């Protein structure tokens, strides 16, 4: 099935990625291998998940060429110091068994001064060619703007399902032509029980998960990284490129948001 490719600042990123939080041990490895065999070409991991080795094994076993997979990993705030940052990234690359990742993120902001230092070190990882692109995660809009003053930020990764209102952030990232990666896009399964999502699922003859993921990927500059341990979910989540949600139904889903941006 054809996929949506985001074209941002001359980069091409598969809009649908595969989240790997909690995918560990051989079972996790098999789920990631399966996702790659099914056609996912964008994989999200983090030092904190303790599974970079599992992701690395799955990539190796999959037989898919390294250059065809967009790999994201993240540095945890406990490694934001000058002593720890670079060794932690080198450790991630070693576990992933790759020479570089495509996108390296600061996983969470720390205090202002520490985050400033970490952003400079993140920038250094670009020149060291440990990563092709850099970004931040769980940063407020103000924190994102501050990071951009230090380094060429490509992406911000935030929790984004129909329950989150990111109106201001979305406006900003489109103005700046950045990528917004939606994590926990299914609200960890919670949003699939919403009556509206169930109604739309019947209307479009698609699963609740497909409706939610399609809603996200119909938005400009947005990527989504659902996690699926089960093969059934993994495949189902890919089959979202053969239908379109109407503008009116898009707005109804936006109205499920619980917080203000
Ligand atoms: N940057 C950050 O701070 C941060 C924080 C959280 C997450 N993340 C990233 O975002 C990824 C996704 O977020 P998440 O894992 O928190 O939650 P999620 O993707 O919103 O939800 C995952 C849950 O939904 C279920 N699911 C998946 N597809 C489904 C389908 N088609 N039908 C029904 N249920 C389905 C999964 O079940 P099965 O596993 O049983 O298939 C799992 O229980 C993570 O894996 C991680 O890579 C980043």
């Amino acid at each position: 099935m054809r996929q949506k490719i985001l074209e941002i600042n001359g980069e091409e990123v598969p809009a649908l990625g595969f989240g790997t939080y909690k995918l560990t041990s051989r079972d996790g490895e098999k789920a990631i291998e399966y996702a790659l065999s099914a056609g996912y070409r964008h994989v999200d991991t983090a030092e904190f998940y303790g599974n970079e080795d599992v992701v690395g094994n799955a990539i190796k076993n999959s037989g898919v060429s390294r250059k065809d997979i967009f790999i994201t990993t993240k540095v945890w705030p406990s490694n934001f110091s000058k002593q720890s940052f670079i060794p932690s990234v080198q450790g991630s690359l070693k576990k992933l068994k790759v020479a570089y990742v495509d996108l390296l993120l600061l996983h969470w902001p720390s205090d202002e001064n520490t985050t400033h230092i970490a952003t400079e070190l993140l920038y250094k990882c670009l020149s060291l060619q440990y990563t092709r692109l850099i970004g931040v995660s769980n940063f407020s809009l103000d924190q994102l703007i501050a990071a951009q003053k230090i380094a060429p930020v490509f992406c911000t990764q935030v929790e984004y399902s129909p329950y989150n209102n990111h109106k201001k952030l979305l406006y900003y990232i489109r103005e700046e032509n950045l990528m917004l990666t939606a994590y926990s896009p299914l609200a960890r399964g919670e949003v699939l029980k919403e009556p509206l999502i169930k109604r739309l699922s019947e209307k479009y003859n698609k699963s609740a998960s497909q409706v939610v993921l399609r809603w996200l990927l119909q938005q400009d500059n947005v990527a989504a990284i659902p996690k699926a341990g089960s093969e059934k979910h993994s495949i189902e989540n890919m089959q979202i490129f053969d239908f379109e949600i109407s503008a009116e139904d898009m707005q109804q889903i936006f109205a499920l948001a619980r917080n203000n941006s």
Side-chain angles (χ1 to χ4, degrees):
M1 188 174 301
R2 78 193 153 84
Q3 282 211 34
K4 178 177 176 183
I5 303 291
L6 294 175
E7 287 174 20
I8 297 176
N9 268 332
E11 295 292 335
E12 293 194 343
V13 185
L16 181 70
F18 190 75
T20 66
Y21 185 41
K22 295 196 176 157
L23 292 179
T24 54
S25 69
R26 182 59 197 143
D27 278 352
E29 205 171 287
K30 279 199 266 184
I32 302 162
E33 267 171 48
Y34 182 79
L36 290 166
S37 74
Y40 285 87
R41 291 293 179 268
H42 171 173
V43 178
D44 181 85
T45 182
E47 176 182 31
F48 177 75
Y49 302 167
N51 70 353
E52 289 171 310
D53 54 341
V54 163
V55 172
N57 292 341
I59 290 173
K60 268 235 140 67
N61 297 342
S62 73
V64 179
S65 169
R66 157 70 192 95
K67 64 173 173 31
D68 294 335
I69 308 174
F70 188 91
I71 307 173
T72 302
T73 196
K74 319 181 188 85
V75 183
W76 193 245
S78 59
N79 285 320
F80 281 4
S81 67
K82 282 188 177 143
Q83 296 76 13
S84 312
F85 197 97
I86 300 290
S88 105
V89 176
Q90 289 168 336
S92 290
L93 295 176
K94 195 169 174 200
K95 282 179 243 160
L96 284 163
K97 293 171 268 295
V98 293
Y100 67 94
V101 289
D102 296 278
L103 177 62
L104 184 67
L105 306 177
L106 300 182
H107 203 145
W108 280 88
S110 180
D111 64 77
E112 208 177 315
N113 188 39
T114 310
T115 305
H116 188 110
I117 291 167
T119 310
E120 287 173 345
L121 292 161
L122 186 71
Y123 196 0
K124 190 171 173 192
C125 288
L126 268 184
S127 56
L128 290 169
Q129 298 185 351
Y130 290 164
T131 187
R132 294 197 309 106
L133 303 160
I134 55 176
V136 295
S137 180
N138 298 299
F139 278 40
S140 67
L141 179 52
D142 285 348
Q143 288 168 326
L144 167 64
I145 293 168
Q148 282 183 298
K149 293 191 175 127
I150 304 165
V153 173
F154 175 79
C155 165
T156 183
Q157 183 178 126
V158 292
E159 179 163 357
Y160 188 24
S161 78
Y163 288 147
N164 307 101
N165 178 348
H166 284 306
K167 219 169 163 184
K168 281 186 192 158
L169 182 61
L170 285 163
Y171 179 82
Y172 183 78
I173 60 122
R174 286 177 194 135
E175 285 289 296
E176 294 283 307
N177 201 19
L178 307 180
M179 177 167 86
L180 184 147
T181 303
Y183 81 65
S184 303
L186 307 174
R188 302 168 184 91
E190 214 36 46
V191 75
L192 307 180
K193 299 178 205 149
E194 280 292 331
L196 170 69
I197 301 296
K198 285 188 179 167
R199 272 202 308 281
L200 294 176
S201 154
E202 280 165 31
K203 174 175 173 181
Y204 290 100
N205 199 20
K206 284 285 179 180
S207 74
S209 170
Q210 288 168 332
V211 169
V212 171
L213 294 172
R214 177 74 206 185
W215 171 79
L216 281 164
L217 295 199
Q218 266 181 229
Q219 300 175 43
D220 290 343
N221 293 49
V222 173
I225 47 169
K227 172 256 180 185
S230 93
E231 294 184 358
K232 178 179 172 288
H233 291 160
S234 195
I235 283 281
E236 188 177 304
N237 295 346
M238 288 200 83
Q239 292 166 345
I240 57 171
F241 300 106
D242 57 354
F243 77 114
E244 189 162 345
I245 300 176
S246 72
E248 195 189 357
D249 292 337
M250 288 290 287
Q251 289 313 317
Q252 286 203 71
I253 303 177
F254 275 112
L256 291 175
R258 291 168 169 173
N259 60 329
N260 292 318
S261 66

